[in-house]
Amino acid sequence: MPINMSDLKQRFQERQYKLTPQRQIVLQAFVDHPEKHLSAEDVHNILRQQSSEIGLATVYRTLELLSDMDVLQKMDFGDGRSRYEINEENSEHHHHHLICLSCGKVKEFEDDLLETLENVIARKSNFKIVDHQVKFYGYCDECQNKCAD
Amino acid sequence: MPINMSDLKQRFQERQYKLTPQRQIVLQAFVDHPEKHLSAEDVHNILRQQSSEIGLATVYRTLELLSDMDVLQKMDFGDGRSRYEINEENSEHHHHHLICLSCGKVKEFEDDLLETLENVIARKSNFKIVDHQVKFYGYCDECQNKCAD
DNA sequence: CTTAGTGCAAAACCTTTGCAACTCT
DNA sequence: AGAGTTGCAAAGGTTTTGCACTAAG
């Protein structure tokens, strides 16, 4: 269960934020599109298509707010816009992103090995790590077959 | 030795690029500022300060060109602009970036452990990895001491 | 009711592009 | 000489902001 609704309500209350319909439908867009990395415009389009009118500025403000609350995670794939995905709170299992340099698709890869690395870093450089983001660039299965680049 | 000048000349010739003074001073800015992650504007300012006039558009075009040539590596630290650093060709030893969530400083950490992970991924998901970028978010030594956040 | 949130349009940024002038090779 | 390069200004695209209006708690 990715999102706990009652817990969410509480986290809004704590900060005296209001749980408006706009904020709910933005979050719903991410629930409806798992494994996607939606940009602000993506979210805006999804909501317009389902006749849930919302201003683009509100989308931006909501994405920032949800990121600050650690409900979403902001990320960058080098395509000139920020993208977001739901932040799994049981962050026991991290996943990494495999970005294909040929077709641009982004795949995910489950892995926990980085915990080890985090510990090494914490010890060696006295840096208290709270999160990480890993991107691998390469060529996906399909593109490798198309042409041996 | 980070940059081999005669090798560089050759790589320009191969692609019929010209080794103009502008391109040289942009690259020089990175040589003069190791361990920094310069943005286009950073480079522009550095060059203006040393009275090496250059157009900002040229800086952008040069940074893109040098990235395509793998002389520089483009990266994103989430501050709304692209940053670049010299791409060590003896890429035997990778380094990761430790980004402090409090003061924003970026430290580097040398490490090779990720090779292992790359092999695991290549086997499991049939993805041919050619590069990776790892960012760790947390709190640096100084900021940990200032306040226990 | 009171405070926070929304929508719109304008502004702010970073980055790219068209084009005439220029310069490496 | 000729192809590639520069600089400037304008355009493009994403994100932020000011402000009057609206709605959640």
Side-chain angles (χ1 to χ4, degrees):
Chain A
M1 187 190 293
I3 296 274
N4 183 327
M5 244 346 191
S6 68
D7 174 54
L8 197 66
K9 244 179 192 163
Q10 198 177 335
R11 285 162 78 184
F12 269 84
Q13 281 178 358
E14 281 168 14
R15 309 197 186 198
Q16 285 166 311
Y17 292 155
K18 293 175 180 173
L19 194 44
T20 64
Q22 286 92 336
R23 287 172 179 176
Q24 293 182 51
I25 59 175
V26 165
L27 190 47
Q28 190 60 45
F30 284 92
V31 173
D32 293 343
H33 298 267
E35 308 261 327
K36 295 248 183 175
H37 312 93
L38 304 178
S39 67
E41 209 187 342
D42 288 342
V43 172
H44 192 227
N45 286 335
I46 287 171
L47 297 183
R48 299 195 132 239
Q49 278 174 28
Q50 59 187 52
S51 341
S52 309
E53 286 300 317
I54 186 175
L56 182 55
T58 302
V59 174
Y60 274 104
R61 282 186 283 232
T62 303
L63 292 176
E64 196 193 333
L65 183 137
L66 292 173
S67 293
D68 286 348
M69 294 177 70
D70 286 326
V71 175
L72 295 181
Q73 185 171 11
K74 187 177 189 173
M75 36 195 46
D76 177 281
F77 294 132
D79 63 346
R81 73 207 65 188
S82 293
R83 296 185 169 277
Y84 300 81
E85 67 177 29
I86 289 182
N87 198 2
E88 316 282 338
E89 19 230 315
N90 307 330
S91 57
E92 293 308 314
H93 75 301
H94 270 98
H95 67 265
H96 313 314
H97 292 113
L98 313 180
I99 305 169
C100 181
L101 294 168
S102 177
C103 66
K105 272 203 222 83
V106 179
K107 288 191 180 177
E108 310 205 334
F109 183 83
E110 300 292 338
D111 174 85
D112 300 332
L113 291 183
L114 236 58
E115 318 286 274
T116 316
L117 184 50
E118 285 195 0
N119 292 333
V120 172
I121 291 175
R123 240 199 337 275
K124 282 200 191 169
S125 40
N126 222 23
F127 196 93
K128 188 188 176 192
I129 295 174
V130 300
D131 193 19
H132 63 237
Q133 203 179 316
V134 186
K135 295 184 282 189
F136 291 94
Y137 297 95
Y139 298 96
C140 70
D141 205 359
E142 297 93 60
C143 289
Q144 282 179 59
N145 295 332
K146 273 182 200 150
C147 55
D149 193 340
Chain B
M1 187 191 290
I3 297 274
N4 182 328
M5 246 343 191
S6 67
D7 174 54
L8 196 67
K9 245 180 193 163
Q10 198 176 335
R11 284 161 80 182
F12 270 84
Q13 282 178 357
E14 281 168 15
R15 309 196 185 198
Q16 286 167 313
Y17 293 154
K18 291 175 181 172
L19 194 45
T20 65
Q22 284 91 338
R23 288 172 180 174
Q24 293 183 50
I25 59 175
V26 166
L27 190 48
Q28 190 61 44
F30 284 92
V31 173
D32 292 343
H33 297 267
E35 307 261 327
K36 296 248 181 174
H37 312 94
L38 304 177
S39 67
E41 208 186 342
D42 288 341
V43 172
H44 192 227
N45 287 336
I46 288 172
L47 297 183
R48 298 194 134 242
Q49 277 174 28
Q50 58 187 53
S51 340
S52 308
E53 285 301 316
I54 185 174
L56 181 56
T58 302
V59 173
Y60 274 104
R61 282 186 284 232
T62 303
L63 292 176
E64 196 194 334
L65 183 136
L66 291 174
S67 293
D68 287 347
M69 293 177 70
D70 285 325
V71 175
L72 294 181
Q73 185 171 9
K74 189 177 187 172
M75 37 195 45
D76 178 280
F77 294 130
D79 63 347
R81 73 209 62 191
S82 293
R83 297 186 169 275
Y84 300 81
E85 67 176 29
I86 289 182
N87 198 3
E88 316 282 336
E89 19 230 315
N90 307 328
S91 58
E92 293 308 315
H93 76 299
H94 270 99
H95 68 264
H96 313 314
H97 292 114
L98 313 181
I99 305 170
C100 181
L101 294 167
S102 177
C103 66
K105 273 204 222 84
V106 179
K107 288 191 180 179
E108 312 204 332
F109 183 83
E110 303 290 338
D111 174 84
D112 302 331
L113 292 183
L114 236 58
E115 319 285 274
T116 316
L117 183 51
E118 285 195 3
N119 292 334
V120 172
I121 292 175
R123 243 200 334 276
K124 282 199 191 168
S125 40
N126 223 24
F127 196 93
K128 188 190 175 191
I129 295 174
V130 301
D131 193 19
H132 64 238
Q133 202 179 317
V134 185
K135 294 184 285 191
F136 292 94
Y137 297 94
Y139 298 95
C140 71
D141 205 0
E142 296 92 60
C143 289
Q144 283 178 60
N145 295 332
K146 273 181 200 152
C147 56
D149 194 340

